[in-house]
């Protein structure tokens, strides 16, 4: 018989509800804490959402933030932030920094002439300095991007909830939407807590997390619906535990293979994509957690139709849509 790798035994009998008040309570605490963090600390918005210009510098000489600031102080640029970028993939003689110039009131973006003046001022103190990239976003555009980002995440949650409602029942839909809000809020809370840069790539990561999380949730719910028809007298809690145990191997394989791709990128991918990869990696963990400990807990508390009523629900015209 051919050898096959298993991340979980072929048959497991884990009681996922044994600590349901602790796990669900932890989720509630994390959601509330995330809301408080976002309300009090806010986000470290990138240039996409804040507006302004970011100049990326690179040199063979070590970055002297104080010297950079002294060179730019007399240019009347307003709010200027200079940060050195560290990355294990950089060469020993590769020193990178970011000069962020906030958008000025009434000005759409920093002019090319101003950017040239900044570059000349930095070259005066470090002739070896180069400028690999310059990004500019006007304040009006950045404001529109914030609204669009919020609407895109909210629209994704609504669309996924509607799909689950049509494919299963409203109880499943409510559990899924709560799990998705949980995933987005907790991930956003982590970015607020550690003041990690929050830009459009992080919004793309949040949308990807929604799709990843709901995929795992649908697999569990699909097995749950089958088992409800198969075990008509088994208590709902036991049927849910059975369904999660039966899909546990698939969940671990899916999460594990995804992490095999993400973790090397997180370590060696460089600072440009590190925020996106971190959000994705964290999202794999929190999405798997919410599928098991949040979505099905909501469904259990609401209850599901059993017997003949369950048959009637499972025969709706959307139930056989391929997931």
């Amino acid at each position: 018989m051919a050898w096959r790798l298993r991340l979980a035994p072929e048959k497991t009998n884990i009681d996922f509800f044994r600590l349901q008040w602790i796990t669900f309570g932890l989720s509630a605490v994390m959601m509330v804490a995330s809301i408080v963090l976002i309300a009090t600390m806010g986000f470290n918005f990138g240039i996409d959402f804040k507006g302004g210009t970011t100049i990326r510098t690179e040199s063979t000489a070590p970055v002297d933030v104080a010297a950079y600031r002294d060179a730019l102080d007399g240019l009347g640029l307003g709010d200027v932030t200079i940060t050195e970028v560290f990355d294990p993939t950089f060469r020993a003689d590769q020193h990178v920094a970011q000069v962020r110039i906030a958008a000025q009131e009434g000005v759409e973006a920093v002019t090319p002439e101003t950017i040239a003046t900044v570059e000349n001022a930095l070259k005066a103190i470090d002739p070896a300095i180069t400028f690999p990239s310059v990004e500019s976003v006007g304040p009006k555009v950045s404001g529109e991007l914030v609204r669009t980002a919020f609407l895109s995440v909210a629209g994704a949650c609504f669309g996924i909830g509607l799909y689950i409602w049509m494919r299963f029942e409203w109880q499943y839909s409510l559990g899924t939407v709560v799990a998705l809000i949980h995933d987005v809020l907790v991930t956003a809370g982590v970015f607020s807590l550690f003041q990690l840069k929050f830009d459009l790539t992080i919004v793309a990561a949040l949308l990807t997390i929604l799709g990843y999380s709901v995929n795992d949730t649908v697999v569990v719910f699909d097995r749950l619906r089958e088992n409800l028809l198969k075990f008509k007298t088994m208590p709902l809690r036991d049927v849910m535990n059975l369904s999660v145990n039966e899909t546990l191997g698939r969940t671990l394989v899916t999460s594990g293979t995804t992490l095999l791709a993400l973790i090397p990128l997180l370590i060696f991918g460089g600072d440009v994509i590190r925020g996106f990869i971190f959000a994705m990696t964290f999202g794999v963990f929190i999405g798997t957690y919410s599928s098991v400990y949040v979505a099905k807990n909501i469904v259990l508390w609401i209850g599901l139709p059993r017997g003949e009523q369950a048959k009637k629900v499972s025969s709706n015209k959307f139930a056989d849509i391929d997931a």
Side-chain angles (χ1 to χ4, degrees):
M1 185 176 65
W3 180 82
R4 292 186 299 172
L5 174 65
R6 289 186 179 277
L7 297 182
E10 188 169 357
K11 289 186 178 180
T12 57
N13 189 28
I14 302 172
D15 184 1
F16 290 97
F17 287 99
R18 186 166 63 90
L19 301 175
Q20 63 174 323
W21 292 110
I22 295 177
T23 55
F24 197 77
L26 176 63
S27 295
V29 169
M30 288 192 297
M31 290 176 70
V32 172
S34 296
I35 293 173
V36 172
L37 285 170
I38 294 169
T40 56
M41 297 181 63
F43 291 112
N44 177 21
F45 282 125
I47 207 72
D48 295 334
F49 294 141
K50 197 173 181 180
T53 297
T54 296
I55 303 174
R56 184 181 177 90
T57 72
E58 186 172 322
S59 177
T60 55
V63 174
D64 187 338
V65 175
Y68 282 21
R69 186 173 300 280
D70 289 341
L72 301 180
D73 273 347
L75 302 181
L77 300 174
D79 185 15
V80 177
T81 304
I82 303 170
T83 55
E84 185 172 1
V85 178
F86 298 96
D87 194 282
T89 62
F90 288 166
R91 303 183 311 274
D93 64 344
Q94 184 178 11
H95 303 281
V96 178
Q98 285 188 339
V99 179
R100 180 183 297 173
I101 306 170
Q104 305 299 308
E105 187 174 353
V107 179
E108 282 299 307
V110 177
T111 64
E113 292 77 12
T114 301
I115 294 173
T117 301
V118 170
E119 292 178 351
N120 291 332
L122 294 176
K123 283 181 179 179
I125 61 170
D126 182 4
I129 198 169
T130 60
F131 307 95
S133 66
V134 177
E135 300 177 7
S136 293
V137 178
K140 289 184 180 178
V141 174
S142 64
E144 292 174 2
L145 288 175
V146 171
R147 289 190 294 272
T148 303
F150 174 79
L151 291 175
S152 64
V153 174
C157 289
F158 175 79
I160 290 171
L162 183 62
Y163 163 74
I164 298 298
W165 192 336
M166 292 191 299
R167 179 171 168 77
F168 298 97
E169 254 301 289
W170 68 268
Q171 294 95 330
Y172 296 93
S173 178
L174 182 60
T176 301
V177 170
V178 171
L180 294 180
I181 293 174
H182 167 272
D183 296 345
V184 171
L185 262 182
V186 173
T187 304
V190 169
F191 271 78
S192 178
L193 175 63
F194 295 106
Q195 288 296 289
L196 303 174
K197 188 171 74 170
F198 195 95
D199 53 21
L200 282 178
T201 62
I202 306 306
V203 176
L206 292 177
L207 293 173
T208 307
I209 290 169
L210 292 181
Y212 183 92
S213 178
V214 76
N215 178 65
D216 198 41
T217 303
V218 165
V219 170
V220 175
F221 282 170
D222 212 32
R223 184 60 58 90
L224 173 60
R225 185 173 58 180
E226 294 173 4
N227 287 334
L228 284 173
L229 297 176
K230 190 184 300 183
F231 304 101
K232 297 181 176 62
T233 59
M234 183 183 290
L236 179 58
R237 171 177 168 152
D238 294 339
V239 179
M240 285 187 165
N241 263 326
L242 174 65
S243 302
V244 178
N245 276 284
E246 288 179 346
T247 57
L248 183 60
R250 180 261 178 206
T251 297
L252 291 178
V253 168
T254 303
S255 301
T257 52
T258 305
L259 290 174
L260 283 176
L262 290 174
I263 291 176
L265 286 173
L266 184 63
I267 298 172
F268 303 110
D271 66 288
V272 175
I273 63 169
R274 181 155 290 128
F276 174 81
I277 300 300
F278 173 79
M280 287 292 300
T281 304
F282 183 79
V284 169
F285 287 104
I286 201 69
T288 302
Y289 172 88
S290 68
S291 297
V292 175
Y293 289 110
V294 178
K296 68 181 183 57
N297 281 8
I298 297 291
V299 176
L300 177 64
W301 292 340
I302 298 174
L304 287 171
R306 307 296 300 272
E308 293 301 318
Q309 191 177 1
K311 285 185 179 180
K312 187 181 296 183
V313 169
S314 66
S315 64
N316 77 76
K317 63 181 180 178
F318 297 106
D320 294 326
I321 298 175
D322 188 6

